[in-house]
Amino acid sequence: MDTLQILRKVRDGEMSVAEAEDYFRRKPFEDLGFACLDSHRKIRSGAAEVVFCQGKADEHLLAIFSSILESEGEVLGTRASQQQAELIQRRFPQTVYDPVSRILSIEKNGKLHRGLVCVCTAGTSDIPVAEEAAKTAEFLGNRVTRIFDVGVSGLHRLLARVPEIQKANCVVAVAGMEGALASVIGGLVYKPVIAVPTSVGYGASLHGLSALLTMLNSCSNGIATVNIDNGFGAGYLASQINLSICEGDHSEQ
Amino acid sequence: MDTLQILRKVRDGEMSVAEAEDYFRRKPFEDLGFACLDSHRKIRSGAAEVVFCQGKADEHLLAIFSSILESEGEVLGTRASQQQAELIQRRFPQTVYDPVSRILSIEKNGKLHRGLVCVCTAGTSDIPVAEEAAKTAEFLGNRVTRIFDVGVSGLHRLLARVPEIQKANCVVAVAGMEGALASVIGGLVYKPVIAVPTSVGYGASLHGLSALLTMLNSCSNGIATVNIDNGFGAGYLASQINLSICEGDHSEQ
Amino acid sequence: MDTLQILRKVRDGEMSVAEAEDYFRRKPFEDLGFACLDSHRKIRSGAAEVVFCQGKADEHLLAIFSSILESEGEVLGTRASQQQAELIQRRFPQTVYDPVSRILSIEKNGKLHRGLVCVCTAGTSDIPVAEEAAKTAEFLGNRVTRIFDVGVSGLHRLLARVPEIQKANCVVAVAGMEGALASVIGGLVYKPVIAVPTSVGYGASLHGLSALLTMLNSCSNGIATVNIDNGFGAGYLASQINLSICEGDHSEQ
Amino acid sequence: MDTLQILRKVRDGEMSVAEAEDYFRRKPFEDLGFACLDSHRKIRSGAAEVVFCQGKADEHLLAIFSSILESEGEVLGTRASQQQAELIQRRFPQTVYDPVSRILSIEKNGKLHRGLVCVCTAGTSDIPVAEEAAKTAEFLGNRVTRIFDVGVSGLHRLLARVPEIQKANCVVAVAGMEGALASVIGGLVYKPVIAVPTSVGYGASLHGLSALLTMLNSCSNGIATVNIDNGFGAGYLASQINLSICEGDHSEQ
Amino acid sequence: MDTLQILRKVRDGEMSVAEAEDYFRRKPFEDLGFACLDSHRKIRSGAAEVVFCQGKADEHLLAIFSSILESEGEVLGTRASQQQAELIQRRFPQTVYDPVSRILSIEKNGKLHRGLVCVCTAGTSDIPVAEEAAKTAEFLGNRVTRIFDVGVSGLHRLLARVPEIQKANCVVAVAGMEGALASVIGGLVYKPVIAVPTSVGYGASLHGLSALLTMLNSCSNGIATVNIDNGFGAGYLASQINLSICEGDHSEQ
Amino acid sequence: MDTLQILRKVRDGEMSVAEAEDYFRRKPFEDLGFACLDSHRKIRSGAAEVVFCQGKADEHLLAIFSSILESEGEVLGTRASQQQAELIQRRFPQTVYDPVSRILSIEKNGKLHRGLVCVCTAGTSDIPVAEEAAKTAEFLGNRVTRIFDVGVSGLHRLLARVPEIQKANCVVAVAGMEGALASVIGGLVYKPVIAVPTSVGYGASLHGLSALLTMLNSCSNGIATVNIDNGFGAGYLASQINLSICEGDHSEQ
Amino acid sequence: MDTLQILRKVRDGEMSVAEAEDYFRRKPFEDLGFACLDSHRKIRSGAAEVVFCQGKADEHLLAIFSSILESEGEVLGTRASQQQAELIQRRFPQTVYDPVSRILSIEKNGKLHRGLVCVCTAGTSDIPVAEEAAKTAEFLGNRVTRIFDVGVSGLHRLLARVPEIQKANCVVAVAGMEGALASVIGGLVYKPVIAVPTSVGYGASLHGLSALLTMLNSCSNGIATVNIDNGFGAGYLASQINLSICEGDHSEQ
Amino acid sequence: MDTLQILRKVRDGEMSVAEAEDYFRRKPFEDLGFACLDSHRKIRSGAAEVVFCQGKADEHLLAIFSSILESEGEVLGTRASQQQAELIQRRFPQTVYDPVSRILSIEKNGKLHRGLVCVCTAGTSDIPVAEEAAKTAEFLGNRVTRIFDVGVSGLHRLLARVPEIQKANCVVAVAGMEGALASVIGGLVYKPVIAVPTSVGYGASLHGLSALLTMLNSCSNGIATVNIDNGFGAGYLASQINLSICEGDHSEQ
């Protein structure tokens, strides 16, 4: 129902002025494309409601957590400290906390996990960032394979896992130090690769800048990069890609 | 047919030693996962065969161009100079050259363009990089919308185009100077966004590093970044994502 | 006249559906604050229509120039080459070109110049950037004083000009190399100072980064900084400040 | 009364040598422009007397605080620790301390707040820096609106507040991570924008350098930038601009 | 014995299908060159099994340590904390811990140390990194001379030791601050020099980046550089070079 | 004659008002310490009048050159191009131009050269910068020794020249690439060393930044550094030090 | 013959004072270890006499070339331009010039090439730097294998060449862009790897800095890095290592 | 007595072989210029023996301190912690410790302080670095004036002290943040200026790098710079310059 129809109904007495006013109050946002977002609202809300816990005051964190839980029935928190986990768990004993990825979550039962995202790491020290990516993707409804410690310094470990990686709709490659993993995977596997540099390393690793530059300069195709240690960002984008593939193409409609 | 079966056939005289040898010569690559690549061979070759023309010697360029054209029936060259275009056109008069994107191509007739990739730019100076992305995606079989000059310094231009952007399966956001376009699109549209910083700007733009950092630090979700001015890389990855969506999920098979 | 009034008029037959539809079509932009911009439209357009000439194709430049000139009666172009100046002058012989600031302009006669902006430079090599600031401010209707070559290596030259600088509503301080001028002026004069680092210098001046850092770290109060060599940006902001002072406070209305 | 008049009076016996000597002892500073500062003395002193508390020894801090309080009747301290606040409060129980902005102040009663400065932030983590700007501007006699958490990742929140922002004489835009807020405000609102990058973020945010570069490269007009986390500097400059607007133009006198 | 021979034997009944299958299962790795590694297996394993202790969880560290000790009869740990040393020593009391180099080791008795590696430092603060290099090389079976505190600020100390340095097959030059030691040794001694920048210094030493750049830009010949503070990497490479020299040339076989 | 005396004379009719006014007009500068500069006027002017030719317009350069020549009887120009040299030589045929150092000069006959400055270089490519330092010092009245190509990659060349270097009152050490020369000289010679990094080198030399960092981090004592390629600055400072030594101590007067 | 023996001979009249004086004049150098260098003189001179042609004046280049040729019977020049090659060839027609590596050489006939150095590149654009390394090593008497275009974006090409690489005594890995080649080779091959970053790439490759950082941070063992584009340095060091291996261990003598 | 004379005496029986041997054992160092150092030995030792305490182990520190005290009768330690001061004071109760500059010293009575060094700071936070410079210069026998808190944000404070600064033989200018103090002093005073950047500041001060760049790019003449926070280095070099001036010129002897 568009503007013209509304106005005609008002003129013809088929719609009250109050009803029409309510319509026009919401209209600016809808006109500007926000309406199109609505069909994706559920998925979008789920993602938008992820809480970056680090640095939040206790009362603030509790309030946000409670509010999302009430409206969505589930909630995901990233970069939560042990102390923050205990705070939330005192109020919501069903909260699950993973100290490796520092992910805090209350999840609906029986959630469907679709498609496949593969999360790889170069070393064991990259696992916390990789788990942030993997758990984020799982929370958002993706099936996830983890393939850890397959860095290029022992290439046979990676080669042996290529068929498994190849099955995924989207690959997340997590690596610190020289960050070569993403390029090598990009050269072996024909799938979108999201590269996550980590701050693992010392000296000329420059807190992850070196791995970041490696990934940006990759001579393999089909690779894009997120911020250093941004496991959440990679998991979120991998979820978007994987779920879009599961849903199929609607662009021509 | 696996190793055991082959060996039994050789023992039983059902397969010649020469046939078996041929099998084992190819086997190492297949064992390591390369076999899985075969089903994607066509798509993969098309992409792998893109020629980065810049800095190539004339005879070298001609040889590569001829060889790909012969085996694939089409070929795409990026970063080609006017002089290189003329060289190729003298040999293959059907070659099309676009001086803006510096893309050189001979394309099969009647190619199907599927799905939708949307390429946006902040300013008019970002168009050459954007066209490299767009033409790459088109060559690889994607339908492409171009929405140029919608930078954040005049936000209403961008807002008016949101519904159009929202239709695409994947968005490429191209911007130099402060590079804020990707964040703003990421905040308005629930689709994967591939951010391409450009070297447009001066002074503290640091030849595109400033835009690159902006994009990596985006507080919007669903964004990943490629190298400065890497329109080809963005178009290629956008194609992977869009075509995967068109093909649908095969991960659980 | 607001939404409710319009709807009542439609209901009561005092306004046609077509008239109301037209109102609602423009409404989204007005609701979001764009309407408020309208009272400033003239000033704003003038500024928005400044053309960054560098890198623009000839036909593009001519088209933009003609279009602004027609609608506004005047036009300002920055970073124009000698060749671009000649192109424009062939079409619009009244165009004035200043090769130092690379500013190209056609200006209305009898323009009023109000208030006072003072543009200072440390050395003579900073003059091109300073002139870009000064001419921009003049075009936008500001009175401008120029005080050049008063860098800190000969402090008496600057001290002798302090009373003059103090008269301005806003000071633009342009300096390359070590960029100390802005701090020293900020310590002598109680007026907003817009610092413009220039790429003048060599070696550790890092193409203006060193001056930029100096200005950002100024221990004087009342200083903010624009991009390296961004004379236009400084002139534009100085104009906003100076003209606002001339117009006086309307915030409490 | 100038040099010539003084000398004539001495010659004519109308002024004693001692009186004239006193005049000439103060003269050097006046000649160099410091005299002009005098009419602004009150405002200037207030500002100059702001104490940067961080790193100051206890006895030093107490002495400065007491001295300014005695001469001015009020005092403002920035970047004060909880421990420093307690130290001052033991001596001056009327001291107010805000742990968010780390501002410590004793303020005169009934101070007039004039004009309007609007302080915006991208996220909630930027609030401490924003409050330093806001409280500084309030202490210096400005009326301040706060519009927090309107970052570009959810653009509708910002758009809804544009009319409010537009009312101010000067806008302070505080943002970390990618720092795009200043550009977007600069594109929506025709007012001077002072951009404050914050060190909020991680990885490639480079402790605020990324946001700083974004702001310096803004393609919107009317923006200048201060040092990372420099809320005080932004509040001070915003005060200069807003109060100058309230006072109106005196440059042509 | 190659593929053809195996297949002929199977055909002719001289080899069982099971034996042939086992051969082909290992073949992919051998074909790709891994077989050649086998002759070096002992040395290689020794080196590969060095444990980077820093940041490892206690149970993880113990498990790896035990496993290597069991299979190899010895084990080397780098960057071990005092607390980690105590953990390992409680389980394996024969463990030796050196708090300077933070090296933790259990070593076989009567190990042969061959050839000669010379480890030099510029200052006494560089000794921890140098000891990491020296102890690594010793563990891997190299004879090592230590020449410490011979930095270029007192050149006579270095000159007096040149004949000693000249005897080694490979020199490790460890230096922080300006890092000039490697260049000076490279100019005095005709031997491969592995330069190790250290993070010793302050200010413009940039945590070792300055020394790193010095070493990379050395105008002496025969120098290559490893990461900042990477004593282990230098000791490992020096061992490869020295032991290769002890074993002599086998490339032409 | 001080203020009191002047005023008494005016009162007593011993000095006219005009004479007194003239005195007070000059006084501010004298009071602030500029008077003390006067005794050094000759030396100071000579130095201050050095012309940085690079980028100066022809007419500007000629005017400055003529003006200094007229008032001082001699003039020094740095970074002059061949074309600028010809311009000046057409007007002043006695001008001497050195294409290596790009120094242009007209010098008084029979100038006394006092004390000793020693200018050393690491390589032959550093000679242009070294000659700028040496010729500047000679023009300013210093005796200069040149010791070129004594870099640390062949240390015996430097050691053989130590006694000569030791004779100077001040040493200028010019080096690109790794820049170790200054540290080594600083460790061998007990004299002030002015280090000049040059932009000689490639790759990680970062246009001289690497040599600059080396010099700033020198572990030798008695070294300070000037900007990259700033031969003039080093020659000027060396001249100040050497000539002060020649003149002896006047500080206690 | 040592000091004591000489002195006794002088005392006993067996040696003239002049002979003894001559001995003591040369002695300082010998005492300081230079004597030990003498046994390596031939090899050392050969290497030391390599001429870095870039930027050398014509007469200078000719003089150095002639002088080395006369004393050594052969000569190697790096980074020579076409114009320099022609200059040398006019005087010495037997000079060979390779425009790819820009190496200019006159080489003795029948030179023995010993051992094996393997030079690998990631792409074809890295070949000029690789050829500089290869030709340097060949000139210095090493046998060299070239394995080009085996970058990690198509890993099977590299894997197929591993056995060949493994045969060498020392590997030179040349790569630009992301520079991952060295790490991958270091993980596959147990030989010293000298990594050479190249300035091939664009944008965030930062003229080779990105590849340099990748190589320094390699998580593979046995890798050290030289300056960006420093093919000569890598070839020289590889030669030192390979020839030392051919000569065998003399350290314990 | 030179080589020839010694040899003649040996020949003539005027000197024993043992005496001559002793002479020649020491000779290498003397020949290479170390002999010339001897006349400066006292001064040189004093300086060379300054102990950089930071990071030294307790027993190490005590040993060095005792050894220098015994041989020199006095000793200076820099960057000593409170705990290190107490350690030394327990053994040598006469030790004086200044917690501001962290200087630890035992000094001879009645030391003569000659000439004049002036140490200036921009702010009060720069005092610790300035005191390190001042106390170092005093220990080395220089008279020192301190002029603190004269930064450019309140220029009149500096101007009022110019005559005092002008009296010194050498000026040390200590400043953090924007570091403009050195340039301004260099423009006001004709004396060598040693600039010391400090790490005072935040954000874009980059831990002192910004001030360092400012000082290196100074457009004033006669300035050289030492490492960030290197008060000792500046005090040492200022002492060399000042004491050389006090001693007068000996270069022509």
Side-chain angles (χ1 to χ4, degrees), chain B residues 156, chain C residues 1 23 26-42 44, chain D residues 159 162-163 166 188-190:
Chain B
H156 54 287
Chain C
M1 199 160 62
Y23 168 81
R26 289 179 296 103
K27 194 167 176 301
F29 293 93
E30 292 172 350
D31 276 15
L32 291 169
F34 296 106
C36 343
L37 295 179
D38 277 354
S39 58
H40 292 290
R41 201 166 103 78
K42 204 175 192 112
R44 188 172 195 266
Chain D
L159 293 174
V162 164
Q166 181 66 24
L188 288 169
V189 174
Y190 178 68

Side-chain angles (χ1 to χ4, degrees), chain A residues 77-156:
Chain A
T78 62
R79 307 226 170 172
S81 66
Q82 182 69 49
Q83 182 274 337
Q84 288 178 318
E86 284 160 14
L87 173 86
I88 299 292
Q89 285 171 330
R90 271 195 297 279
R91 177 80 142 270
F92 304 106
Q94 73 272 42
T95 311
V96 175
Y97 179 63
D98 171 40
V100 171
S101 62
R102 290 183 292 156
I103 287 225
L104 201 57
S105 62
I106 299 175
E107 207 167 349
K108 286 178 185 165
N109 290 330
K111 185 182 286 183
L112 184 70
H113 295 93
R114 290 185 298 164
L116 190 63
V117 168
C118 178
V119 179
C120 304
T121 74
T124 53
S125 321
D126 303 313
I127 291 177
V129 174
E131 276 297 329
E132 192 184 87
K135 286 195 160 47
T136 296
E138 286 173 339
F139 184 88
L140 296 172
N142 302 273
R143 205 157 51 94
V144 175
T145 327
R146 287 156 174 84
I147 299 187
F148 291 168
D149 201 17
V150 291
V152 300
S153 69
L155 199 60
H156 54 287

Side-chain angles (χ1 to χ4, degrees), chain F:
Chain F
M1 197 162 61
D2 69 6
T3 300
L4 210 62
Q5 289 175 305
I6 299 283
L7 289 170
R8 282 184 185 138
K9 288 189 178 199
V10 169
R11 183 193 58 188
D12 302 342
E14 294 169 10
M15 182 182 262
S16 75
V17 163
E19 282 171 326
E21 195 202 2
D22 183 58
Y23 167 82
F24 287 112
R25 204 175 54 240
R26 291 180 294 103
K27 195 168 174 302
F29 293 94
E30 293 172 348
D31 276 14
L32 291 168
F34 296 105
C36 343
L37 296 180
D38 277 354
S39 59
H40 293 290
R41 201 165 102 79
K42 206 180 191 104
I43 296 160
R44 189 173 193 266
S45 300
E49 305 293 4
V50 170
V51 186
F52 185 83
C53 300
Q54 193 172 292
K56 287 227 162 31
D58 282 4
E59 60 274 43
H60 200 189
L61 187 61
L62 259 180
I64 298 176
F65 230 79
S66 306
S67 144
I68 298 176
L69 185 58
E70 189 170 339
S71 66
E72 301 298 326
E74 63 179 11
V75 58
L76 183 80
T78 63
R79 307 222 170 177
S81 66
Q82 182 70 47
Q83 182 275 336
Q84 288 178 317
E86 285 160 13
L87 173 85
I88 299 292
Q89 285 170 330
R90 272 195 296 278
R91 177 80 142 270
F92 305 105
Q94 73 271 43
T95 309
V96 176
Y97 179 63
D98 171 41
V100 171
S101 63
R102 292 182 291 156
I103 286 223
L104 200 59
S105 61
I106 300 174
E107 208 169 349
K108 287 178 185 163
N109 290 330
K111 187 182 283 185
L112 183 71
H113 295 93
R114 291 185 298 162
L116 190 63
V117 168
C118 178
V119 179
C120 305
T121 75
T124 53
S125 321
D126 303 313
I127 291 176
V129 174
E131 276 297 327
E132 191 184 86
K135 286 195 160 45
T136 296
E138 286 174 338
F139 184 89
L140 296 171
N142 302 272
R143 205 156 52 93
V144 176
T145 327
R146 287 156 174 85
I147 299 187
F148 291 168
D149 201 17
V150 290
V152 301
S153 68
L155 199 59
H156 55 286
R157 296 173 302 183
L158 177 60
L159 293 173
R161 311 295 292 273
V162 166
E164 237 175 308
I165 301 172
Q166 180 66 24
K167 277 184 195 147
N169 283 322
C170 185
V171 183
V172 174
V174 184
M177 298 181 76
E178 96 275 64
L181 181 68
S183 275
V184 173
I185 291 181
L188 288 169
V189 173
Y190 178 68
K191 289 296 159 70
V193 175
I194 304 168
V196 191
T198 70
S199 53
V200 168
Y202 58 90
S205 82
L206 301 174
H207 309 290
L209 268 181
S210 177
L212 172 61
L213 289 170
T214 304
M215 288 164 168
L216 287 166
N217 283 290
S218 176
C219 51
S220 299
N221 293 325
I223 297 177
T225 306
V226 297
N227 196 359
I228 297 161
D229 292 333
N230 190 4
F232 166 71
Y236 184 97
L237 179 54
S239 168
Q240 278 194 327
I241 294 172
N242 179 52
L243 296 183
S244 297
I245 291 171
C246 293
E247 287 173 7
D249 181 32
H250 303 288
S251 67
E252 297 185 60
Q253 292 161 347

Side-chain angles (χ1 to χ4, degrees), chain C residues 46-99:
Chain C
E49 306 293 4
V50 169
V51 187
F52 185 83
C53 302
Q54 194 174 292
K56 287 226 162 31
D58 282 3
E59 61 274 41
H60 199 191
L61 186 61
L62 259 179
I64 298 176
F65 230 79
S66 306
S67 143
I68 297 176
L69 185 57
E70 189 170 340
S71 65
E72 300 298 327
E74 64 179 12
V75 59
L76 183 80
T78 62
R79 309 224 169 176
S81 65
Q82 182 70 47
Q83 183 275 337
Q84 289 178 317
E86 285 160 13
L87 174 85
I88 299 292
Q89 284 170 331
R90 272 195 296 278
R91 177 80 142 270
F92 305 106
Q94 73 272 43
T95 309
V96 175
Y97 179 62
D98 171 40

